[in-house]
Amino acid sequence: TTWAMVISLVHRRLLRRYPLMAGHMCMSSSPHSLMVSALGLLLVFRTNSAYQRFAEGRKIWEGILNNARDLSRMTKLYEDQIGKERRRRVQRLLAAFPYLLRYRIRPSSVKDGGQMRRYGDAATDDERDPKYSLFLYQDMPTKENDFEAAKVASEEEMTGMSRRQKRDLYWVDKRTLPWRLLPGDAMEKCARAQNRPLWICDRMATELRNVPDQDGPIPFTNRERITLVSLVDDLSKSIGSCERIHQTVVPLNYARHALRALTIWLLSLPFALVKDLGLLTAPVIFIISWMLFGIYEIGTRIEDPFQGTL
């Protein structure tokens, strides 16, 4: 907008004193008319791709919700065969699953919410109660464009020596969610797991596998066991689906090309409009820039649906 205002003021001043130079400042609108189709395709393709990722993420989360409800209902239905204590353990693990999955695909939600604090930080260590402290590393999948990890892996391959950097150690309060949902013997094991939601699925499948066969009016056989384990298997598959969206980013070259094309088009647009609009060039450029950059920003915001969008 400032650029357009400067162009319009300079054009108006030159038009009074040097009309010939003012005429040379103007350009035909034909190049912008030809470019607008290609620019529109770039913006629409990026926005559509981002929305497809958003819609797929919503479908995955809906599947998690439906599978969790089905598993909870089935364990309650077969409570007499499974056992009340085992049923409670499975449901507590199931309740902790969405929290741990969210922390894995959106790790900033843990630290920003104050639940995970860095060990050794003087500002937070004073608040730590050793009796209720649980130590763990951050559970975060690497992205495909993690250049730092790729550089370390390349050096390891060339030198044959491990150059892994030490990870920061964090601590959480056992009395907060989701840790207080976990059974006592599962809390420490879950904290040490590399993929905590996957560990939850393994633990639930183990609990259901160990239910013995029973005869009676309502029998419990391999058919019921496989049905319950298949629901846990669907939850396990949802972890990979979420990680696929989170780790696979929109190609950086495409995003840069769309932004550069949009910037060049808008910077040169005042020269095509100033002859006809004069001082109104700046407000018109402001409205056009707001609309086009808004479309671009929408695609940027929703391309990773798990970073606060869903």
Side-chain angles (χ1 to χ4, degrees):
T1 304
T2 304
W3 169 252
M5 178 62 71
V6 172
I7 295 298
S8 60
L9 291 176
V10 172
H11 179 266
R12 186 178 183 181
R13 186 177 184 85
L14 291 177
L15 193 62
R16 293 177 178 176
R17 297 187 178 184
Y18 309 100
L20 185 61
M21 293 183 62
H24 288 307
M25 280 187 61
C26 303
M27 61 181 295
S28 173
S29 60
S30 298
H32 291 83
S33 300
L34 295 174
M35 290 175 59
V36 71
S37 298
L39 185 62
L41 288 176
L42 285 174
L43 293 177
V44 169
F45 179 78
R46 175 173 174 76
T47 306
N48 286 345
S49 300
Y51 182 76
Q52 288 177 1
R53 292 163 61 91
F54 172 82
E56 185 178 3
R58 186 64 188 91
K59 291 178 181 178
I60 294 171
W61 206 255
E62 180 186 5
I64 294 173
L65 180 62
N66 292 334
N67 289 325
R69 286 172 175 171
D70 291 342
L71 182 57
S72 178
R73 188 180 68 251
M74 291 290 289
T75 53
K76 183 64 176 178
L77 184 64
Y78 288 96
E79 181 179 10
D80 294 338
Q81 291 76 18
I82 295 175
K84 183 176 294 187
E85 290 300 323
R86 191 188 302 272
R87 191 267 303 170
R88 287 178 178 174
R89 290 197 300 269
V90 171
Q91 290 190 339
R92 289 168 69 91
L93 291 168
L94 182 61
F97 175 80
Y99 289 96
L100 296 175
L101 178 58
R102 184 183 65 175
Y103 294 161
R104 178 167 177 80
I105 59 179
R106 198 170 73 187
S108 60
S109 64
V110 187
K111 294 189 292 184
D112 295 344
Q115 297 183 14
M116 184 180 290
R117 301 172 177 85
R118 191 191 306 272
Y119 178 68
D121 190 352
T124 58
D125 277 356
D126 294 338
E127 306 173 4
R128 186 173 68 86
D129 187 346
K131 181 180 179 181
Y132 298 106
S133 298
L134 180 65
F135 293 97
L136 70 167
Y137 292 105
Q138 189 174 4
D139 184 10
M140 180 176 62
T142 57
K143 291 190 175 182
E144 64 173 13
N145 62 344
D146 192 339
F147 300 107
E148 187 66 26
K151 180 180 178 181
V152 173
S154 178
E155 291 180 359
E156 289 182 350
E157 184 178 358
M158 296 296 294
T159 61
M161 300 176 60
S162 177
R163 299 175 59 85
R164 300 292 179 184
Q165 299 179 354
K166 292 183 177 180
R167 294 185 295 171
D168 293 328
L169 184 63
Y170 295 88
W171 65 273
V172 294
D173 193 332
K174 297 179 181 180
R175 296 168 293 182
T176 60
L177 290 173
W179 309 106
R180 68 183 185 188
L181 295 172
L182 300 176
D185 61 331
M187 191 178 299
E188 297 287 345
K189 295 178 181 178
C190 182
R192 293 196 298 266
Q194 293 291 330
N195 189 325
R196 296 187 187 110
L198 185 60
W199 186 91
I200 292 290
C201 291
D202 292 341
R203 181 63 181 262
M204 286 192 294
T206 302
E207 291 280 1
L208 297 172
R209 182 201 62 185
N210 293 334
V211 178
D213 292 341
Q214 299 179 34
D215 298 326
I218 305 178
F220 191 91
T221 60
N222 283 334
R223 183 181 62 181
E224 288 75 21
R225 186 179 296 107
I226 292 174
T227 301
L228 291 171
V229 173
S230 65
L231 293 174
V232 178
D233 186 52
D234 291 338
L235 291 176
S236 177
K237 291 177 181 178
S238 66
I239 301 174
S241 299
C242 292
E243 290 175 345
R244 171 171 52 81
I245 295 179
H246 176 66
Q247 293 174 310
T248 307
V249 298
V250 176
L252 186 60
N253 292 334
Y254 177 80
R256 286 178 175 175
H257 181 69
L259 182 59
R260 289 168 182 169
L262 178 58
T263 303
I264 293 173
W265 191 84
L266 287 173
L267 286 176
S268 58
L269 185 60
F271 295 101
L273 300 179
V274 69
K275 181 179 179 180
D276 298 326
L277 299 181
L279 294 179
L280 291 177
T281 303
V284 171
I285 293 296
F286 170 77
I287 296 174
I288 296 175
S289 301
W290 172 73
M291 293 176 59
L292 296 180
F293 278 116
I295 295 173
Y296 181 87
E297 185 65 18
I298 289 173
T300 303
R301 289 293 182 91
I302 67 176
E303 66 183 13
D304 192 345
F306 304 116
Q307 301 306 310
T309 308
L310 285 179

